[in-house]
Structures are given as structure tokens and as C-alpha cells.
Amino acid sequence: MNTKESDLSSILNHNHRHPRYLIAILQEIQSREGYLSNEAMLEVAKFLDMSSATVWGVATFYNQFRFTPPGKRPVRVCLGTACHLAGGQLVLEAVARELKIEVGGITEDHEFDLDRVACIGCCALAPVVTIGQDVFPKMTPPKVEEVMVELNPPSAHKD
Ligand code: FES
């Protein structure tokens, strides 16, 4: 049994075998693994005696879950109310453009992945982007370009 399998077993073994615990189990797996793999969802379905289609349907209904492994430097664009009102959506589109990935995607080199998040608690700095542990305040599409050129994502390599 490899580490991932034993992590998954330990998550399943301390949870109740009842469909009402599905979301809690999925949240715990994602918090440990960073995402929900196909294999993990199949195991959860087996454990809860549910069809894999139902587990998949529930997981994809909530946008808190991701289905690809996270990048080394996760990029999170806040779309909480303050950030949204301050232009967060345009910032998100600019980041997606620079990284050449969609929300929920990951760059080919697995360096960056992109997701939106709800309020991260620094609304005075809206709109906010986090990259790994770093917080980038008062972002605009031009600032996104500057930051991305410095971080050197694949799209920033100019020939
Ligand atoms: S809404 Fe973005 S930090 Fe609060």
C-alpha cells in the first residue's frame, strides 16, 4: 500500500459509512492531497456504497473541488464581494491569459495552477491575488502582466 492509498484509507476509516458524509470526506481528501483524483473518488464511492457517477456529480456541483493536481505555485484570484467589485473578474481573466490556462487548469510545466477563491480576509487590498504564500494587493490587468513577467510563467518566454 503506498502513502496515498494509506492516507485515503485513514480518511475513510475514521469517517462514517453514510452518504451524508460524502462532502466532508471529499473535503478532507482535497485538503490532504490538494485535489480529488479519479481513483480517490472511486474508492469513496465504494466506501459509501454509492455509484461513482453520483460521487462525481456531487463533487463537480461544488466549485470548491479541483480534479487536477495543484501546481507548485498555486495562483488564487479572490472573487469575494470587495474584490469582485474592484475588478477581480478582469484580474482573473488577465491571469488566465498570462498563464494560458483556464480556471481550474495547470500550466504544462506544473508550476502554476489557477483558481478563484472567496474572500481571503484582506478586502482593503482588493482586488487580491495570491501566488503561493505571496499576496499581491490592488491588482489590475497591467499589474498582472508585470508580476507574471517577473515570475516567468511559460507564456512570458518571448522569442
Ligand atoms: S473579498 Fe477579496 S479579500 Fe475580501
Side-chain angles (χ1 to χ4, degrees):
M1 187 182 286
N2 65 34
T3 317
K4 283 200 185 247
E5 284 169 355
S6 67
D7 277 357
L8 184 56
S9 302
S10 82
I11 291 170
L12 295 179
N13 290 335
H14 77 254
N15 272 286
H16 296 280
R17 206 176 267 265
H18 191 287
R20 105 166 66 115
Y21 293 96
L22 173 59
I23 302 228
I25 292 171
L26 295 178
Q27 284 170 329
E28 199 174 338
I29 294 170
Q30 175 154 295
S31 122
R32 260 205 235 175
E33 304 296 328
Y35 77 113
L36 300 176
S37 68
N38 242 342
E39 297 74 28
M41 287 202 285
L42 288 174
E43 284 303 311
V44 171
K46 218 188 295 172
F47 177 75
L48 295 177
D49 198 20
M50 299 170 77
S51 75
S52 53
T54 304
V55 170
W56 181 256
V58 170
T60 52
F61 179 79
Y62 295 97
N63 61 17
Q64 63 178 291
F65 295 119
R66 52 177 298 120
F67 307 98
T68 50
K72 288 185 206 132
R73 288 189 278 182
V75 181
R76 300 293 176 259
V77 178
C78 181
L79 286 186
T81 306
C83 288
H84 186 72
L85 291 175
Q89 183 62 38
L90 292 176
V91 169
L92 175 65
E93 288 164 16
V95 175
R97 223 172 19 248
E98 289 298 313
L99 292 177
K100 295 189 172 161
I101 56 175
E102 296 188 355
V103 173
I106 185 166
T107 55
E108 276 180 17
D109 61 1
H110 292 247
E111 190 67 24
F112 300 96
D113 72 79
L114 173 61
D115 237 320
R116 63 190 132 210
V117 288
C119 181
I120 56 170
C122 43
C123 308
L125 306 176
V128 178
V129 174
T130 61
I131 303 178
Q133 303 299 317
D134 299 323
V135 177
F136 294 85
K138 298 190 182 294
M139 292 302 279
T140 59
K143 278 175 88 175
V144 167
E145 268 181 51
E146 281 170 31
V147 168
M148 289 300 166
V149 166
E150 269 176 44
L151 293 175
N152 205 26
S155 61
H157 297 290
K158 308 277 186 230
D159 298 322

